Structures are given as structure tokens and as C-alpha cells.
Amino acid sequence: MTAPTTGTEYDAHSKIDMLAEKIQNEVPEELGDRAWGLVLDALYWVPQEIDQLVEGHQAPDDEETEDPSAKH
């Protein structure tokens, strides 16, 4: 997993809006579906990376909430 940067929901919406505008204004109509396919390909692993981010954050908490008698 790589999470080199932080951002907000607004930042994500802005980036998608920017890409939509670029595709609409600069990509020939016959290539529009392929351009959006590139966007979808880039987003493919995002849900898995978010899951890993959450799991990695929860792992230390899980150890703290464990029953101490279970460790023996």
C-alpha cells in the first residue's frame, strides 16, 4: 500500500471534476470511453488500499483491547 499524500474529500472531487473537464474538452469523442477507462483503471485498487490503511490503523488498537489472560 502506498499513501504518499493526504487530501480531503473536496480535493478528490476537484480532481475528478478536473479530469472530467479535460476528457470533455480535450479528448476526441470516440476516445472518451477509453479515457474514462484509464480513470477507472487508476481507481481500481483504491478500495483495497483504503481497507489496508484502516486495518493497519486498527492493528495496534486490537492488541490493547485484547484480554491479558489470552496472552498466557
Side-chain angles (χ1 to χ4, degrees):
M1 176 187 60
T2 59
T5 178
T6 61
T8 65
E9 183 178 352
Y10 174 81
D11 296 334
H13 283 283
S14 294
K15 189 67 164 180
I16 294 294
D17 290 344
M18 182 191 74
L19 290 169
E21 188 173 321
K22 182 175 185 71
I23 290 170
Q24 182 179 7
N25 294 334
E26 298 178 25
V27 175
E29 187 174 340
E30 64 272 13
L31 297 176
D33 288 345
R34 291 183 67 192
W36 280 111
L38 292 171
V39 173
L40 292 173
D41 286 348
L43 294 172
Y44 182 80
W45 294 105
V46 171
Q48 180 179 346
E49 290 193 17
I50 291 171
D51 290 344
Q52 290 174 355
L53 178 70
V54 171
E55 289 170 7
H57 181 72
Q58 290 175 341
D61 292 342
D62 291 343
E63 291 175 7
E64 291 176 13
T65 58
E66 248 183 57
D67 180 5
S69 63
K71 292 182 179 179
H72 297 297

